[in-house]
Structures are given as C-alpha cells and as structure tokens.
Amino acid sequence: MRHVAIVGSGPAGYYTAEAALKQWGDDVRVDIFDCLPVPFGLIRSGVAPDHQSIKGVSRRYEATALTENVRFVGNVLIGRDVSIPELRELYDVVILATGAPNDRKLGLPGEDLPNVFGSASFVGWYNGHPEFAGLDPALSHDTAVIVGNGNVALDVARILAKSQNELHGSDIVAHALTTLNVSRVRRIVILGRRGPHQIAMTPKELGELAHLERACPRVDPADLPDEAEDAALDPGLRKSVGHLRAFSRTGDADCPSDQVTIEFDFFAAPKRIIGTERVEDVEVERTRLENGKAVGTGETYRVPAGIVIACIGYQTSKIPDVPFDAAGGRFANEDGWIAPGLYCVGWARRGPTGTIGTNRPDGYAIIEKVARDIGEGAGKAGRPGFDALAEQRGINYVKFTDWQKIDEAEVANARKGAPREKFVSVERMIEAAGKR
Ligand SMILES: Cc1cc2nc3c(=O)[nH]c(=O)nc-3n(C[C@H](O)[C@H](O)[C@H](O)COP(=O)(O)OP(=O)(O)OC[C@H]3O[C@@H](n4cnc5c(N)ncnc54)[C@H](O)[C@@H]3O)c2cc1C
C-alpha cells in the first residue's frame, strides 16, 4: 500500500490524485489537504464568476474525490496545523500542489497606497475568497488602471465593465455585486510595458470585450505594428492581435458617454503611484522595444485613477522546511522533485503559467516519477496515523461530504438566476458543514 499526501485541492492536486488512482488503483490511499474548507483552488476563487462553463471542470475532480481511496482533508493549513516533516513521517510521499496565491509586487513607489491592489486580492474579493472578502475597494472615481497584459487583466476589466444584467447568471458574490452596482468607473486603462505582439491575452477572452453591453474597447492605431508582421505570429496570438486591430478602428462616435471605455495603453510602464489618502494618479513612462525588451524613453505622463489593480503574476507561499526559489517565486525543485519523498506540481512547481488543462500532464508526470521512487510503499502509517495526530491536536477537519453540505447550502442561498451564493468566511462554511 502507498500512502500519498497531496497538499492543495486545486486542479494540480486533483489531477495528481487522478493519476495516482490510475497508477495504483486499490493499492493507494490519497489524502488531499487544503487550508480552506472548500475544494478546487482557483477554479472557485480565480476563474471569473461569469465563466461558469470553465468552472464546470470541477465535476471531473468530484469523480476522483468520491472514490473510496481518495479523501479531502479541508481546513488544515500545512506548515501551521501540521508540519511538512510530520506529513513526511506519515506518508510515503508528500506532493505540494499549493499553487501561487501571492501577488507579485510592482516594486514601485506608492504601491502600498489605499485602493492599489494585486489581482489575487481583487479577484479573491469578487470571487469570495475568505482572505479577501473584506477588501472593500472603492469604485468611486471614473478611472481604473489595470497593469498587465494577460488574461487576468482582461477578467478584471470585464468584471468592472459589465452591467448588473450581464453578471446576472454568474456566481459573483453579493458584496461585489453591490459595490459594482454603484461603481462610477467609466474608463479602464490597461497598461502594458510592451506592444500588441507581446501580449499574453488569448483570442476568446479578448473577443469577448467586443460583445459586452456597454463596453467600448479601444487601441491606438499607432501602437500596432505593420499588419504584414502579423503573419509571423503563432495562430492564437495572430487572432488576438486581430481583435486589437478591430478595437483600433473604434472611433469616438462609437463610444457614447454612457459606455465604459477599455483603453489598451501599450508601450506604457508604470513608474510611480501618486496620492495622499489613496491613489490619485499613476505616473507612466513611454517605452520602446529593444530586442523584445521594454526600454524607457524618458517621456512620462500621468493617468488620473481612483483604483489600480496589478495583474502581473503570482508567487507560491513559502512553507517551513521546504526550500524556496526566490527568483522563480516557487518551490526549489528539479522537474517537481524537491527532496526524497517530497515533490511539487502545478503552479507550485512551474510558477503561474498555463491553463487549467496544463496541470493534468503535470500531475501524471509527477506520479510517474513518484512511482519510480516509492516502489510498493514503506509501511507508513498513512490515514490512520494522520487521524490520530488530528485527534491529539484537536484538528476537526472538513471531509468531502462536509463540503457537499456547504455546496448544497450555497446553491440553496443563490439569488435568482445565479448558480450559488458563496459563503465568504471560514466560520460560515464550517457552520454550513454542520461542524460547529
Ligand atoms: C484570476 C485567475 C483566473 C484564471 N482563469 C482561468 C481560466 O479561465 N481558464 C484556465 O484554464 N485557467 C485559468 N486560470 C489558471 C488556473 O486557475 C491555474 O492553472 C490552476 O488553478 C493552477 O492549479 P494549482 O492546483 O497549481 O493551484 P491552485 O488552483 O491555486 O490550488 C492550490 C490550492 O492549494 C491550497 N493551499 C495553498 N497553500 C496551502 C497550505 N499551506 N496548506 C493547505 N492548502 C494549501 C489552496 O487553498 C488551493 O486550494 C486562472 C488563474 C487566475 C489566477
């Protein structure tokens, strides 16, 4: 029998569990730990609330979760409630699938001013992550600045631009819906240090902006390279750039004053965030490309803004006793191997890149490695050993069946047309699970 501990119940965690079941069938017991009482990581707290079909992937994880040989151990923070050496003592292998939940900093003066956020906190706020539910962003100024040229920047812009009507069938949490309902934001400026050919935005997400009820996406035609140069791009990027070209043909007359304009400001590097009580302006430096890199030109300008959201990437949270690669913002690892019996997978292994699906081959590859390393298992204590430790320490963990109760209560609490109303505090989740 092999005893496997997976830390983190996001896509990487569940694909790894699925691979372990395929590899060993009834000869494995997998415990999936999560610090939250609810599973699925960024599927619940990252993926945009108006992209419900993408969130549907969690049904696949449910099939894995409901097998006898896999169990969910929620509301246990590894590194605090139970240490890594303790887990390694109990299980043949510990696989860290803890994602990359911390915002990368802009590293600019003024970024600690009120109403300057990273996307982990802002997205966590509208998606009801308990850590960020109390964020309370002010949307009282007409301009929002978003920094970054990836899909997360587009998610944030879209949520800010959508009407209440368009958010109707989403699972955006009530506190965010209320704030967005009185939002004064009418201009969203997306800053990118480089140009249209360097974006990391996918065509589907960009194309969506053209179909919003009241949004007017705009690109300065002068920022676009010669159209002939698009031929050399990968097909996906070429399609994305095609959307930007279409946005560049939008004129003033196409954007009535009741619309929300979404302005793509390319070759624009934020330099300083200015304000007293809270952010008032972003100082931006014009850049140009040199060998694919953005280089400052010395020309600066200010964008008046009431809120700034930096969507520039994430870092893994450190865990005591696990070596960390500070430059990469993830655990120090060689293709997922950290130390004997200790591995990482998903964003915790490779950093915040790729889609949900990218985590599947990652999970299968890790289990292949683990299979070579742990053989038939070393007779470790596994589940019963963990349960004894939990009892001794008073850890009343949340099981998958408890999560199903939380799920049922969230669905029952949904406002009309919405799939669920999420609980946004751990206490309410635990209560709904009937654990208190
Ligand atoms: C805003 C946003 C939107 C996205 N939208 C899409 C999309 O539309 N389509 C798409 O394909 N991809 C999308 N992605 C990417 C996708 O979400 C990731 O590829 C995927 O979630 C990474 O999986 P993971 O399991 O490595 O990490 P995560 O999903 O982050 O899961 C990590 C889990 O570990 C838990 N954890 C962390 N530390 C500990 C600890 N010490 N102890 C116990 N538990 C712990 C966390 O609670 C979490 O549940 C999006 C990402 C973001 C940030």
Side-chain angles (χ1 to χ4, degrees):
M1 181 61 69
R2 290 100 182 149
H3 296 285
V4 176
I6 296 174
V7 184
S9 69
Y14 271 106
Y15 286 126
T16 304
E18 182 187 290
L21 285 182
K22 282 243 165 78
Q23 178 76 28
W24 294 298
D26 276 339
D27 295 326
V28 68
R29 295 291 177 275
V30 182
D31 281 359
I32 305 185
F33 294 88
D34 206 286
C35 50
L36 290 178
V38 292
F40 308 140
L42 287 171
I43 302 295
R44 178 181 166 101
S45 64
V47 170
D50 57 340
H51 281 173
Q52 286 298 311
S53 59
I54 295 174
K55 287 181 187 270
V57 71
S58 59
R59 277 192 288 277
R60 177 186 177 133
Y61 308 149
E62 232 169 67
T64 303
L66 289 168
T67 62
E68 289 259 310
N69 300 335
V70 174
R71 70 175 189 175
F72 176 66
V73 185
N75 206 24
V76 179
L77 177 65
I78 300 302
R80 183 196 65 190
D81 301 334
V82 178
S83 71
I84 290 290
E86 283 168 334
L87 278 191
R88 290 176 77 185
E89 189 65 34
L90 290 168
Y91 295 86
D92 291 303
V93 61
V94 176
I95 304 171
L96 304 175
T98 51
N102 299 330
D103 281 308
R104 261 189 55 210
K105 300 287 269 180
L106 282 164
L108 298 181
E111 80 173 301
D112 294 326
L113 278 168
N115 241 28
V116 179
F117 304 109
S119 53
S121 47
F122 192 76
V123 170
W125 167 73
Y126 64 61
N127 268 329
H129 190 295
E131 198 178 329
F132 305 111
L135 199 70
D136 200 22
L139 302 177
S140 48
H141 188 284
D142 75 342
T143 302
V145 165
I146 296 174
V147 184
N149 270 182
N151 280 343
V152 176
L154 292 180
D155 279 353
V156 170
R158 194 178 66 253
I159 294 296
L160 285 173
K162 272 194 165 181
S163 68
Q164 292 277 298
N165 185 34
E166 287 173 300
L167 292 170
H168 185 66
S170 77
D171 68 353
I172 190 163
V173 291
H175 63 232
L177 199 59
T178 306
T179 302
L180 288 164
N181 194 24
V182 294
S183 165
R184 297 228 179 102
V185 174
R186 289 292 171 273
R187 179 180 181 226
I188 298 166
V189 179
I190 303 180
L191 300 178
R193 281 184 305 166
R194 299 190 293 164
H197 276 193
Q198 286 75 38
I199 56 170
M201 297 163 163
T202 49
K204 182 180 161 289
E205 278 69 22
L206 263 175
E208 236 178 303
L209 295 186
H211 301 288
L212 301 187
E213 236 171 70
R214 56 173 196 179
C216 210
R218 305 194 69 171
V219 170
D220 182 347
D223 285 341
L224 285 158
D226 197 68
E227 197 157 352
E229 292 177 30
D230 293 1
L233 301 175
D234 285 344
L237 182 54
R238 198 182 317 136
K239 220 169 162 188
S240 289
V241 173
H243 287 300
L244 295 176
R245 291 196 184 281
F247 300 161
S248 75
R249 291 190 280 273
T250 307
D252 289 345
D254 304 310
C255 294
S257 59
D258 59 343
Q259 299 265 304
V260 179
T261 56
I262 302 176
E263 296 170 26
F264 289 82
D265 192 359
F266 292 109
F267 306 107
K271 283 282 133 192
R272 196 155 62 106
I273 296 172
I274 301 156
T276 42
E277 304 279 292
R278 66 176 194 218
V279 48
E280 288 164 22
D281 285 285
V282 181
E283 187 180 287
V284 181
E285 182 178 13
R286 236 339 126 230
T287 65
R288 62 165 185 273
L289 276 185
E290 268 179 27
N291 300 323
K293 285 201 163 155
V295 178
T297 61
E299 178 199 340
T300 60
Y301 57 97
R302 284 188 181 194
V303 181
I307 184 166
V308 173
I309 302 147
C311 307
I312 56 162
Y314 302 94
Q315 294 196 328
T316 295
S317 278
K318 291 181 186 171
I319 299 183
D321 306 300
V322 183
F324 196 74
D325 163 9
R330 57 187 178 221
F331 297 123
N333 73 91
E334 285 165 32
D335 280 341
W337 184 89
I338 300 175
L342 184 64
Y343 293 79
C344 58
V345 69
W347 277 18
R349 177 184 82 77
R350 60 179 203 274
T353 58
T355 62
I356 294 165
T358 318
N359 300 295
R360 186 172 186 270
D362 210 3
Y364 277 73
I366 278 297
I367 287 299
E368 253 183 49
K369 273 188 213 302
V370 169
R372 283 198 294 271
D373 290 355
I374 66 168
E376 310 229 312
K380 298 248 181 166
R383 274 182 194 182
F386 177 79
D387 285 349
L389 179 71
E391 197 177 328
Q392 182 198 336
R393 218 162 264 181
I395 299 172
N396 187 12
Y397 62 81
V398 168
K399 305 189 180 102
F400 202 78
T401 45
D402 299 322
W403 146 246
Q404 287 177 312
K405 288 184 205 152
I406 302 173
D407 184 31
E408 259 174 44
E410 288 188 341
V411 172
N413 289 345
R415 60 187 179 271
K416 201 164 176 281
R420 68 177 63 245
E421 185 62 56
K422 289 179 192 164
F423 294 113
V424 301
S425 80
V426 167
E427 289 71 27
R428 295 296 309 282
M429 293 171 183
I430 300 286
E431 224 172 79
K435 305 279 286 182
R436 187 167 280 163

